[in-house]
């Protein structure tokens, strides 16, 4: 009967090289996540999400799922610790971004005093498109809130607290920027009137339904607790057929929704916000597309990242 060889792990401060912790008799099959939990017992204020461990101070952080015996270390391993700072879960991140954006827009829609001239305070816009824009903006973020609570599956990953401040500032600020112009007392409706508004509204609704369908499909892709990895594929739902052509149709539908919102309101700030959003989502989509292509040898070569046949 073979005898188990245990590991000894020393944890040093990545900056000062100060000795922080010595872990004795660590199981070879232990993961980095397990080591973080053991380290947490010695330093309760550094919970696992705050910890970054690496084999060299200049190396990238090890993943929580990395197994100790598979790492290029001997039975006496040395790891370097870095404090990532206060962390917050992704669910709270999404809720903060969405609720703030939703409420910020409504402040301008209801003409809260001191935003516009006093004679326009607490008055409603005479243009129907302004009311439709508010309904669309509200539905968009209500949908995102519902998805955050009931649809999305978040890993145990977290975001640094300082990053959520930056993200919320961006989303809330952009929401205020759009709302200021769309709800402005001097706002002028689109050039082609109801025809332009109605066509754009229809496209907006289809893109929102498509985006929701894609998120449901991604949620159902892997059963709870399963480690089996599969790439997303079209289902019987026609909105998911965009998977035939792109790797991240959720971003495609998201961009489509904001493009239609831009056309419906004929507002330059909305168009600029849509462009900024597209550039960021294109980066995310290309990253996921490359990851799918590397991980799955049979991944469809016809698929693009976000725009069919183009990008």
């Amino acid at each position: 009967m073979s005898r188990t060889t245990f590991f000894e792990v020393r944890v040093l401060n990545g900056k000062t090289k100060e000795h922080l912790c010595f872990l004795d008799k660590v199981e070879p099959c232990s993961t980095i996540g397990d080591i973080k939990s053991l380290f947490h017992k010695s330093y309760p204020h550094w919970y696992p999400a705050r910890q970054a461990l690496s084999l060299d101070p200049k190396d990238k952080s090890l993943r929580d799922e990395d197994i100790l015996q598979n790492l290029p270390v001997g039975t006496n391993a040395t790891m370097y610790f870095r404090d990532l700072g206060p962390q917050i879960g992704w669910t709270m991140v999404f809720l903060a971004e969405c609720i703030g954006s939703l409420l910020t827009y409504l402040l301008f829609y209801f003409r809260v005093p001191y935003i516009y001239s006093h004679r326009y305070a607490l008055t409603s816009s005479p243009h129907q498109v302004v009311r439709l824009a508010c309904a669309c903006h509200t539905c968009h973020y209500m949908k995102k809130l519902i998805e955050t609570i009931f649809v999305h599956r978040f890993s145990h990953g977290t975001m640094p607290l300082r990053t959520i401040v930056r993200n919320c500032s961006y989303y809330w600020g952009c929401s205020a920027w759009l709302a200021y112009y769309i709800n402005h007392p001097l706002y002028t409706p689109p050039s082609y009137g109801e025809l332009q508004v109605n066509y754009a509204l229809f496209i907006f609704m289809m893109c929102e339904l498509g985006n929701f369908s894609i998120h449901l499909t991604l949620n159902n892709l892997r059963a709870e607790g399963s480690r089996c990895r599969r790439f997303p594929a079209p289902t019987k739902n026609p909105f998911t057929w965009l998977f035939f052509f792109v790797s991240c149709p959720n971003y495609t539908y998201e961009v489509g929704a904001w493009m239609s919102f831009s056309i419906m309101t004929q507002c330059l700030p909305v168009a600029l916000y849509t462009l900024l959003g597209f550039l960021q989502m294109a980066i995310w989509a290309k990253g996921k597309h490359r990851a799918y292509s590397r991980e799955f040898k049979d991944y469809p070569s016809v698929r693009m990242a976000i725009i069919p046949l183009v990008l």
Side-chain angles (χ1 to χ4, degrees):
M1 185 173 181
S2 60
R3 182 181 176 183
T4 303
T5 302
F6 292 101
F7 281 63
E8 295 178 349
V9 179
R10 294 172 62 231
V11 180
L12 307 182
N13 187 304
K15 292 183 178 179
T16 65
K17 307 302 186 295
E18 175 191 357
H19 176 82
L20 296 177
C21 184
F22 178 76
L23 304 175
D24 191 18
K25 294 185 177 179
V26 180
E27 295 281 352
C29 58
S30 297
T31 63
I32 295 300
D34 296 330
I35 294 174
K36 288 182 178 181
S37 297
L38 293 172
F39 181 75
H40 177 231
K41 293 180 180 179
S42 300
Y43 296 91
H45 61 288
W46 285 329
Y47 46 89
R50 285 190 66 154
Q51 302 174 31
L53 297 177
S54 59
L55 300 180
D56 186 275
K58 297 180 181 180
D59 287 348
K60 290 184 178 180
S61 300
L62 297 168
R63 298 176 303 172
D64 284 356
E65 58 268 26
D66 287 339
I67 299 174
L68 183 58
Q69 63 183 356
N70 295 338
L71 298 176
V73 295
T75 54
N76 295 304
T78 300
M79 296 185 182
Y80 295 89
F81 162 81
R82 179 166 56 91
D83 182 14
L84 298 177
Q87 304 287 305
I88 190 169
W90 280 104
T91 299
M92 290 303 300
V93 170
F94 275 69
L95 290 177
E97 292 174 354
C98 294
I99 293 175
S101 298
L102 177 62
L103 296 180
T104 301
Y105 191 99
L106 293 177
L107 290 176
F108 290 84
Y109 175 75
F110 287 112
R111 303 281 180 85
V112 174
Y114 307 109
I115 293 180
Y116 302 115
S117 174
H118 287 293
R119 65 193 178 104
Y120 296 113
L122 301 177
T123 62
S124 59
S125 172
H127 305 301
Q128 177 69 15
V129 64
V130 174
R131 290 186 283 275
L132 285 175
C134 180
C136 289
H137 189 274
T138 301
C139 288
H140 174 76
Y141 281 102
M142 287 299 295
K143 177 186 74 70
K144 291 175 78 71
L145 286 171
I146 291 171
E147 290 172 345
T148 299
I149 298 171
F150 299 107
V151 178
H152 292 321
R153 283 183 186 166
F154 296 101
S155 65
H156 296 295
T158 57
M159 174 183 284
L161 188 59
R162 60 182 178 275
T163 305
I164 189 178
V165 173
R166 182 192 65 194
N167 282 19
C168 286
S169 298
Y170 171 77
Y171 286 108
W172 298 4
C174 286
S175 181
W177 184 38
L178 309 185
Y180 176 83
Y181 286 98
I182 296 174
N183 298 287
H184 198 284
L186 301 180
Y187 169 79
T188 55
S191 304
Y192 295 96
E194 289 188 7
L195 182 65
Q196 179 176 338
V197 172
N198 291 337
Y199 273 113
L201 177 61
F202 175 77
I203 297 172
F204 178 87
M205 293 171 60
M206 292 299 101
C207 287
E208 289 293 300
L209 286 172
N211 182 266
F212 184 72
S213 298
I214 297 301
H215 286 153
L216 283 178
T217 302
L218 293 173
N219 179 65
N220 297 328
L221 187 62
R222 187 171 66 182
E224 188 73 43
S226 173
R227 294 184 177 274
C228 179
R229 292 273 298 169
R230 294 179 293 142
F231 60 81
T235 66
K236 294 180 180 179
N237 183 345
F239 285 111
T240 68
W241 294 353
L242 199 54
F243 271 124
F244 282 120
F245 308 104
V246 294
S247 296
C248 301
N250 52 317
Y251 295 144
T252 309
Y253 282 123
E254 180 89 5
V255 172
W258 282 107
M259 286 182 64
S260 60
F261 192 73
S262 302
I263 296 170
M264 181 173 64
T265 58
Q266 196 171 300
C267 184
L268 181 60
V270 182
L272 293 176
Y273 176 70
T274 301
L275 177 61
L276 289 174
F278 167 71
L279 294 175
Q280 180 60 72
M281 284 185 274
I283 294 172
W284 291 336
K286 290 174 72 174
K288 289 188 177 183
H289 179 74
R290 286 193 296 268
Y292 284 144
S293 299
R294 286 195 302 265
E295 184 173 358
F296 303 104
K297 303 302 181 184
D298 57 341
Y299 194 71
S301 59
V302 71
R303 289 189 189 181
M304 304 299 286
I306 186 171
I307 301 178
L309 308 176
V310 178
L311 179 65

